[in-house]
Amino acid sequence: MRNAILCFVPVLTLCFASSQLKAESSSTEPEPELRKEAMNIVKIFSDTLKPKLKEAIQSGGIEHAIKVCSVEAPKIAYDLSAQTGWSIKRVSLKPRNTNNARPDTFERNILTKFDLHQAKSDSSTLLQYSEIVNNKYRYMKAQAVEGICLNCHGSSISADAKKTLNQYYPEDLATGYALGDIRGAFSLVKEL
Ligand code: HEC
């Protein structure tokens, strides 16, 4: 059976089947246990990175935090992948790290759906999606823009921060976001 479900976690009644996705890819019912595992990994990722970012901003300002993020974010993804056996990354339709964060076709599709869904609703924080594709369990969770993110992803970034971003990410596309926008998503894959 094909089963493509896009939903807000706590409000299952809001779930809806995605007909476009159904037409494009074959899938089976996602595994609840794997989904739980994936959600847990995302939480660990987030709970590890966010405090580091906040601490870096407080101790050395935005430019320092950009440098910290450029090292810590890929490292957390790498370590978590090694520890769990899942492939773990963050992707975006407007990537900053163009080596790591460019979406594949599946991810692009889901990110576009997240954006469409977010445009119709106020709350994007819990938007997630899972599907089994080609014997792989794929899970994505949207990451919405909060106040702190605007320092480095907003539309009025300080000149110094811009300069540092240019140094580290000359192809950066990840600015111009507003509160509540979908910045990107965690994307997890487990071979079945
Ligand atoms: C201090 C600056 C800074 C802040 C604040 C910040 N980011 Fe980022 N963000 C970065 C940098 C630098 C990268 C690239 C990291 C890398 O090389 O993997 C990045 C990458 C990302 C990515 C991965 C996709 C991509 O484009 O490379 C996502 C998703 C993301 N940020 C979301 C957020 C969200 C959501 C917030 C707020 C909770 C946030 N960021 C706050 C600097 C920041």
Side-chain angles (χ1 to χ4, degrees):
M1 272 298 287
R2 287 169 171 183
N3 192 355
I5 296 170
L6 189 60
C7 64
F8 290 102
V9 188
V11 194
L12 288 172
T13 46
L14 283 182
C15 292
F16 63 93
S18 155
S19 53
Q20 193 188 336
L21 263 179
K22 273 183 178 176
E24 283 171 10
S25 59
S26 74
S27 63
T28 55
E29 177 116 37
E31 305 275 341
E33 285 307 314
L34 288 181
R35 174 174 273 217
K36 241 189 257 171
E37 235 182 271
M39 287 170 72
N40 193 36
I41 293 168
V42 166
K43 184 169 175 348
I44 295 170
F45 196 142
S46 203
D47 287 355
T48 312
L49 182 57
K50 259 197 211 166
K52 279 184 199 276
L53 260 187
K54 281 188 185 152
E55 202 270 327
I57 292 174
Q58 273 159 17
S59 67
I62 299 299
E63 297 91 85
H64 171 64
I66 291 168
K67 293 175 200 166
V68 168
C69 187
S70 74
V71 175
E72 289 298 332
K75 183 174 182 310
I76 295 167
Y78 181 85
D79 288 349
L80 270 178
S81 298
Q83 281 160 22
T84 61
W86 288 68
S87 149
I88 299 156
K89 61 195 292 203
R90 294 187 303 165
V91 291
S92 175
L93 292 173
K94 296 200 303 171
R96 170 156 291 165
N97 185 329
T98 43
N99 293 326
N100 279 341
R102 282 189 210 275
D104 65 18
T105 309
F106 175 88
E107 290 161 338
R108 179 169 295 279
N109 223 327
I110 304 307
L111 284 166
T112 306
K113 296 219 172 287
F114 284 166
D115 271 355
L116 286 173
H117 198 77
Q118 188 270 342
K120 286 193 236 152
S121 130
D122 286 340
S123 150
S124 53
T125 14
L126 294 168
L127 201 52
Q128 64 177 344
Y129 179 87
S130 52
E131 184 180 346
I132 293 171
V133 188
N134 298 333
N135 228 26
K136 292 185 176 83
Y137 180 80
R138 302 205 60 158
Y139 173 83
M140 287 177 67
K141 173 142 193 275
Q143 238 194 325
V145 172
E146 302 164 24
I148 189 178
C149 321
L150 296 174
N151 289 302
C152 304
H153 296 295
S155 43
S156 49
I157 297 169
S158 76
D160 285 345
K162 260 190 203 148
K163 208 169 135 203
T164 311
L165 284 172
N166 272 338
Q167 269 168 15
Y168 282 75
Y169 304 96
E171 297 175 64
D172 185 20
L173 295 174
T175 55
Y177 287 89
L179 274 184
D181 283 352
I182 306 246
R183 173 60 268 276
F186 295 96
S187 177
L188 277 65
V189 184
K190 173 122 179 165
E191 300 275 347
L192 297 176

